């Protein structure tokens, strides 16, 4: 039988360390520490050749994206969008909205020398267009331009041509009816120009600041309309700075019919169909032309002006002689201010008498009058006084009779045909087109445009 356990003995010395046991399972990840500082940016590498490429097998064209530029038909686009094509239309933008202010193409530039839209036709021949605009609306605009700046030399539309036969701006209205306008210009400025034309060539060629042409049998080559009801307005204004220039030149080239180089008309009873500040001249006769009072529907009646080598004023009338066979003839109060060298004519009516001028006009007197004497009581006398015009205009500019032609006009004629000379010797021959053919042929202007 087992006895009771004895007392515990003293602890012995530690034994040697045993071999390391197998590694236990990894514990869960602790919380992330704070983010360290960002390191320095490395150098930028070279640009790639092409980020992407699309190829259209139908049109045989490729679209490239290279260095921020998109090229269609070119692998090396120089602009943000560049289209190279041999097709009829290289770039088309269409807005299908049926209302509102919409734009098929919108261009905008903030540069002080920029262009919102620029079009260029580089072909050296053919009828081409830098920019073409077209509208199918009954109240539309093929091209509409607005210069909104309130100061500076701005242009709603600017046209320029370097061709020897070109047109800076050409407008053509082809409709066969209605009130159409080839070119319309309008200005709201108190000193503006609706249309302004400038021909800067200084050569002897025939240039036109503005050229208007009409093929209609009732058309107007140029029509100017000043609609203001007051003020000194001008339907058409012409000005020339040349010493032998013409402010306005009108030429009717037809050699038959009643045509007009310049036609002026006024509906005011105190207006002037044609008015000249300065001398008026005519190489032909000067006449009034009215409807013939006996056949106004079919004939004109013409009366001609009397002419002489000095400007004359004519005053005439009739007077009855008093009981002494005399009469004073009173003349207008301005008579002495505009006349000199009076000449008198007297004619008795209903009988004969030895009438004569008893007292001539006294230019120093307060009133201008003359006295007739030598007749019998109650006799009617017709009188006429002819004078030389002597107002301030004649004082300053005179009234020359024989005048030497300008050096540039010597050797030319007003009417060369009257002296057996050809048309080329006419004084104004250089002002005329080379022929009477149209300067601009509308049919030629739209030839080759199938749209």
């Amino acid at each position: 039988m087992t006895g009771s356990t004895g007392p515990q003995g003293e602890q012995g010395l530690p034994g040697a360390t045993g071999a390391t046991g197998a590694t236990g399972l990894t514990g869960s990840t602790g919380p992330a520490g704070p983010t360290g500082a960002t390191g320095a940016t490395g150098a930028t590498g070279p640009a790639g050749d092409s980020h992407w490429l699309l190829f259209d097998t139908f049109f045989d064209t490729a679209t490239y994206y290279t260095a921020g530029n998109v090229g269609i038909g070119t692998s090396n686009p120089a602009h943000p969008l560049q289209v190279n094509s041999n097709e009829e239309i290289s770039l088309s933008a269409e807005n299908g909205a049926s209302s509102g202010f919409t734009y098929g193409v919108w261009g905008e530039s903030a540069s002080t020398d920029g262009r919102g839209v620029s079009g260029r036709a580089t072909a050296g021949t053919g009828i081409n267009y830098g920019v073409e605009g077209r509208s199918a609306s009954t109240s539309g605009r093929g091209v509409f331009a607005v210069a909104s700046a309130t100061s500076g030399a701005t242009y709603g539309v600017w046209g320029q041509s370097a061709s020897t036969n070109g047109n800076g701006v050409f407008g053509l209205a082809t409709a066969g009816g209605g009130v159409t306008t080839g070119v319309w210009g309008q200005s709201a400025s108190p000193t503006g120009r609706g249309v302004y034309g400038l021909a800067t060539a200084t050569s002897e060629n025939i240039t036109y600041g503005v050229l208007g042409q009409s093929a209609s049998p009732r058309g107007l080559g140029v029509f100017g309309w000043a609609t203001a009801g007051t003020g000194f307005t001008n339907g058409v204004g012409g000005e020339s700075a040349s010493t032998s220039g013409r402010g306005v030149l009108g030429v009717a080239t037809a050699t038959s019919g009643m045509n007009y180089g310049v036609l002026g008309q006024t509906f005011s009873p105190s207006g002037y169909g044609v008015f000249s500040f300065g001398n008026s001249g005519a190489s032909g006769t000067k006449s009034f032309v009215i409807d013939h009072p006996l056949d106004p529907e079919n004939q004109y009646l013409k009366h001609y002006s009397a002419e002489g080598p000095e400007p004359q004023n004519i005053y005439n009338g009739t007077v009855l002689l008093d009981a002494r066979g005399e009469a004073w003839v009173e003349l207008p109060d301005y008579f002495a201010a505009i006349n000199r060298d009076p000449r008198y004519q007297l004619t008795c009516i209903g009988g004969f008498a030895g009438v004569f001028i008893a007292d001539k006009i006294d230019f120093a007197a307060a009133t201008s009058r003359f006295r007739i004497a030598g007749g019998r009581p109650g006799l009617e006398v017709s009188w006429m006084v002819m004078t030389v015009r002597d107002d301030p205009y004649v004082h300053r500019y005179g009234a020359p009779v024989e005048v030497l032609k300008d050096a540039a006009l010597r050797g030319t004629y007003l009417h060369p045909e009257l002296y057996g000379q050809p048309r080329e010797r006419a004084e104004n021959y250089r002002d005329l087109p080379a022929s009477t053919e149209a300067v601009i042929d509308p049919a030629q202007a739209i030839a080759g445009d199938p749209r």
Side-chain angles (χ1 to χ4, degrees), residues 21-72:
T23 303
L25 298 174
T26 302
S28 59
T29 304
T35 303
T38 302
T41 303
T44 302
D49 292 335
S50 177
H51 293 178
W52 48 260
L53 166 66
L54 298 176
F55 189 79
D56 190 326
T57 57
F58 182 80
F59 288 104
D60 195 24
T61 59
T63 301
Y64 297 84
Y65 177 78
T66 302
N69 295 334
V70 175
I72 301 176

Side-chain angles (χ1 to χ4, degrees), residues 144-395:
F144 178 72
V146 179
S148 58
T150 57
S151 62
T154 63
Y155 305 90
V157 173
W158 171 278
Q160 182 173 338
S161 171
S163 168
T164 56
N165 193 35
N167 305 292
V169 173
F170 178 74
L172 180 65
T174 59
V179 181
T180 63
T181 308
V183 174
W184 172 277
Q186 181 172 337
S187 172
S189 168
T191 58
R193 283 85 167 169
V195 173
Y196 178 75
L198 177 65
T200 59
T202 58
S203 64
E204 290 292 325
N205 295 328
I206 299 175
T207 62
Y208 306 90
V210 173
L211 171 64
Q213 180 175 333
S214 172
S216 168
R218 293 183 59 84
L220 303 167
V222 173
F223 178 73
W225 187 12
T227 59
T230 58
F232 294 99
T233 63
N234 302 288
V236 174
E239 183 174 337
S240 172
S242 170
T243 55
S244 58
R246 284 84 168 166
V248 173
L249 171 68
V251 178
T253 57
T255 57
S256 63
M258 181 173 289
N259 50 29
Y260 307 89
V262 174
L263 171 66
Q265 181 174 350
T266 178
F267 295 108
S268 170
S270 57
Y272 301 90
V274 175
F275 182 82
S276 168
F277 283 98
N279 297 327
S280 296
S283 61
T285 57
K286 297 183 286 294
S287 61
F288 77 70
V289 182
I290 62 174
D291 292 323
H292 198 295
L294 303 183
D295 188 10
E297 292 187 0
N298 302 300
Q299 296 186 63
Y300 295 110
L301 179 66
K302 303 176 71 173
H303 273 33
Y304 297 89
S305 301
E307 298 171 345
E310 57 185 3
Q312 293 186 340
N313 294 323
I314 300 175
Y315 305 83
N316 54 40
T318 61
V319 65
L320 293 177
L321 302 184
D322 60 17
R324 295 180 298 180
E326 300 179 355
W328 282 96
V329 176
E330 303 288 337
L331 297 169
D333 55 3
Y334 57 78
F335 181 90
I338 66 168
N339 294 291
R340 64 177 175 84
D341 302 337
R343 301 92 184 256
Y344 307 87
Q345 289 187 14
L346 300 175
T347 302
C348 297
I349 300 175
F352 174 78
V355 294
F356 60 92
I357 303 298
D359 289 294
K360 297 192 299 183
I361 300 167
D362 183 359
F363 282 83
T367 59
S368 296
R369 62 178 186 166
F370 63 94
R371 185 168 65 93
I372 301 173
R376 63 174 184 267
L379 181 65
E380 185 179 11
V381 176
S382 172
W383 60 269
M384 181 170 64
V385 176
M386 301 177 63
T387 68
V388 177
R389 178 178 165 181
D390 195 38
D391 57 75
Y393 184 91
V394 176
H395 285 170

